[in-house]
Amino acid sequence: MATGKRSSSKRAARKRSKRTWRWRLLQAALYTTLFAALGVAGYLVYLDRTITGTFDGRRWSIPAQVFAQPLELHAGAAIGPYALQAELQRLGYQLDPNLAAPGTYKRRGATLQIYLRAFKFMERSRPSQRIDVTFSGQHVKAVFNEAGEVPLIRLDPATIGSFFPAHGEDRLILTPDQVPPLLAAGLKAIEDRDYDRHAGFSIRGILRALWVNLRSGERQQGGSTLTQQLVKSYFLDNRRTISRKLQELAMAVILEARFSKEDLLTAYINEIFLGQNGSRAIHGFGLGAHFYFNKPISELDVSEIATLISIIRGPSYYNPFRHPQRARERRDRILQTLGRDKLIDQQQLSAALSQPLGVVASPISGGAYYPAFMDRVRAELKRYYDLESLSSEGLRVFTTIQPRKQEAVQRAVSLTLQQIETDRGLEPGLLQGAAIVADAQTGEIQALVGGRKGRVDGFNRALSAQRPVGSLIKPVVYLTALEAGLHLASPVEDTPVTVSPKFGDQWSPKNFDGEYRGTLPMVRALAESLNLATVNLGLEIGLPRIHQRFIGLVGRAPANSYPSFLLGAESLAPIEVLQMYGNFASGGFRTVPKAVIAVLDAQGRPVSHHPFDLQQTVALEHVAAINHALEIVMAKGTGRSSPYAKRGVAGKTGTSNDNRDSWFAGFDNRQVSVVWAGRDDNAITGLTGSSGALRIWNQMAAAEPIDPLQHLQNTPLTEVEYQTGLRARKSCADVVRLPIPRAAVNTMPVKPGCGIATGLRGRLQRWTGG
């Protein structure tokens, strides 16, 4: 009996234990489900806030657009019909005999008819309009619009870049009303047929893509919706895992719930990756139109829109530059789909299928992208704006670059270096170069070349390559001598000199040819770049005084405090040399080189102006004297090999120790230029300033006419013998005409037998040139 009760009690205990275990298991399952649901809900809330905030902040973040100087057309402008036609093609204008729309032109005899695009300039907006440009030779004769002759009109400026975050993505943002209807409809037809119906993902789309791909034997369609593709581009990396796919689906559903279909499609059109140009990633159809076709998206035809859509599936695989046949085949399949869906008619389909791809000749020839110049623009804008403002507020930056000149200078650098390598049997690509051209009076940078490959981001030698300038420093020594009371005919000694500094070894410089010339005038010593004469003169004046003069010209103290500074053992970047020689070119004013003219906000209101930074540094009589001397450098000295030496150009060559660096700095009445050539590893090149940098400048000068220097009208000039500095007549001596103070002229010695006659005889000789 007792045994039965114990057995019953055990069974009851086991039942209670099972019920307790089941209840605890159920509780655990409930809590797990609850916590999982809370976790998923929390994660979804987190995703919602994150992607909504990010998307809202980014979809209308409009990067600052950067514009070049527009080409001005007016009577007398130095441009012929073929050059203007090339400029229109650079801006993406299309030849159209009907002149049917803005962005087209046609030629009729000696007249170019242009349908200008509308553009919002700094001062005012200009509507689209038709103009006629007539020519007389290689100059504009007159410009007419519908109202009659106009004194001046500007082409729309080239867009040369934009500011997007530093990861290298670049794009031109389109608003919904700027999206061509065929592009929007075509994207849905090719990439996502259920776009207008699904909630972020499409089971039908996945199954349809699977069926098409199985039938074709290749991946022709993807299963991801446009919204999923947008999520991948905005928020996710390229990993292919189940968790990432689930995250993608969740994000797509949230975006669809939060934003309209039109907003999502426009964001996709602005975001999608379409190619790579060096370190610059091409995103969005707005920039893609410029990159591949060199024109705004509003001017693309049916074939070109289909080409851009074809690139989406694989920007590398369907790259029209590298794989034109593959890209054309895919474009044609897309055109067939557009025709089948009645998005284009049969006539449009036939015309589009017959067209070539029509992309620009190469990735670097589409549009205008000048990374070296953009480096300078960034540096200037950093003083006023943070990256967030530049990348999101739709600022419009107007700059100083002139694309025609930029292209000409880039060609001169690249082709001349190539020719020098060929002439000297050097390894191709061994030499590098840099060049800058600026307005002589304002310092506005019109062209800036940072290396041989102009449209590839990389080390910017024009701004960052600090190299010894060699004899480019010598005008600073001679200017200081002029300010100390000497004149260009003052005698200097080209004789051996040894300097014994307080610290370090003795220094015994030599002339380039190892010879000594004795006593000679300052102007000859500078023209022939004589080292010994320069060192003797510099030591006589005093190195501290010359250092102070350098500070006044360049705006910073020299790094070299030793006498070797007198021969250019001082490293400067080309942009600093430009500033130094700008003092001479401007007539005695230091002008900080500038790239930015003004910045406007998205509504066209001025945000900031960037005025000229002018400071007088040299007296007029002294800058006039040094400019005359630099003209003689070109005519009779180290610059005489240039075909432009005697056309009113002032300049100076420079060579660093062991012929490692080749320099030239020069200017005419309109612009100042600096050129450097050398090697990135600082190895010996064997080039002098004349055999390297001057050759590059010669090619630059060939691209546009020299504007001869204009000297002060009231500056009296005295004829002196070039070899000796004695007063003489050109009928009996090799003379140069120099601005010498009147008091000094009266005490100058005269060359025996070649004196200056006075009275009636003297007037007759001057009239007859005797």
Side-chain angles (χ1 to χ4, degrees), residues 249-432:
L249 289 171
M251 287 180 163
V253 171
I254 291 171
L255 281 181
E256 289 275 357
R258 289 292 189 182
F259 301 98
S260 71
K261 289 285 188 179
E262 181 183 59
D263 282 351
L264 293 176
L265 182 59
T266 304
Y268 176 89
I269 286 170
N270 286 322
E271 179 66 22
I272 194 67
F273 175 64
L274 290 175
Q276 194 78 27
N277 181 24
S279 62
R280 179 193 186 207
I282 307 299
H283 282 257
F285 284 86
L287 185 60
H290 284 275
F291 181 65
Y292 289 107
F293 299 105
N294 192 23
K295 54 185 174 181
I297 196 165
S298 60
E299 296 177 14
L300 296 187
D301 61 26
V302 171
S303 169
E304 292 161 343
I305 288 175
T307 299
L308 288 184
I309 294 175
S310 73
I311 295 171
I312 295 173
R313 189 59 50 82
S316 178
Y317 187 78
Y318 292 110
N319 185 326
F321 300 125
R322 295 181 180 176
H323 311 294
Q325 184 60 35
R326 187 184 296 166
R328 180 165 183 169
E329 289 172 358
R330 173 145 180 82
R331 180 207 69 176
D332 290 350
R333 289 198 299 270
I334 288 173
L335 287 170
Q336 295 286 2
T337 301
L338 299 181
R340 189 167 54 248
D341 290 357
K342 307 300 183 184
L343 297 176
I344 57 176
D345 59 34
Q346 188 58 44
Q347 184 177 358
Q348 289 175 305
L349 175 61
S350 299
L353 287 171
S354 66
Q355 287 182 221
L357 281 176
V359 294
V360 293
S362 68
I364 64 169
S365 61
Y369 180 58
Y370 308 116
F373 180 77
M374 286 293 292
D375 286 344
R376 181 67 182 184
V377 172
R378 288 187 188 94
E380 292 186 22
L381 291 178
K382 279 181 180 177
R383 304 173 197 164
Y384 304 95
Y385 308 99
D386 56 29
L387 182 59
E388 178 65 26
S389 299
L390 290 172
S391 64
S392 64
E393 295 181 3
L395 300 177
R396 306 175 79 235
V397 182
F398 291 87
T399 71
T400 60
I401 193 171
Q402 298 179 7
R404 286 179 68 211
K405 188 169 293 184
Q406 174 72 28
E407 299 285 354
V409 174
Q410 183 66 63
R411 281 195 304 272
V413 171
S414 302
L415 296 179
T416 307
L417 290 178
Q418 181 180 342
Q419 186 61 53
I420 291 172
E421 289 168 345
T422 300
D423 294 345
R424 293 174 172 263
L426 299 176
E427 177 187 343
L430 188 68
L431 297 177
Q432 267 295 351

Side-chain angles (χ1 to χ4, degrees), residues 157-217:
T159 302
I160 63 170
S162 58
F163 287 92
F164 223 77
H167 46 61
E169 297 179 6
D170 195 5
R171 71 205 74 201
L172 296 175
I173 297 294
L174 302 175
T175 57
D177 60 322
Q178 293 173 320
V179 176
L182 180 61
L183 174 61
L187 284 172
K188 288 187 280 188
I190 301 301
E191 294 293 325
D192 189 356
R193 287 186 172 276
D194 297 326
Y195 179 74
D196 292 322
R197 294 185 294 274
H198 64 61
F201 65 95
S202 171
I203 300 299
R204 288 176 56 190
I206 295 171
L207 295 175
R208 181 171 52 248
L210 180 62
W211 174 245
V212 169
N213 294 340
L214 287 173
R215 287 181 58 191
S216 65

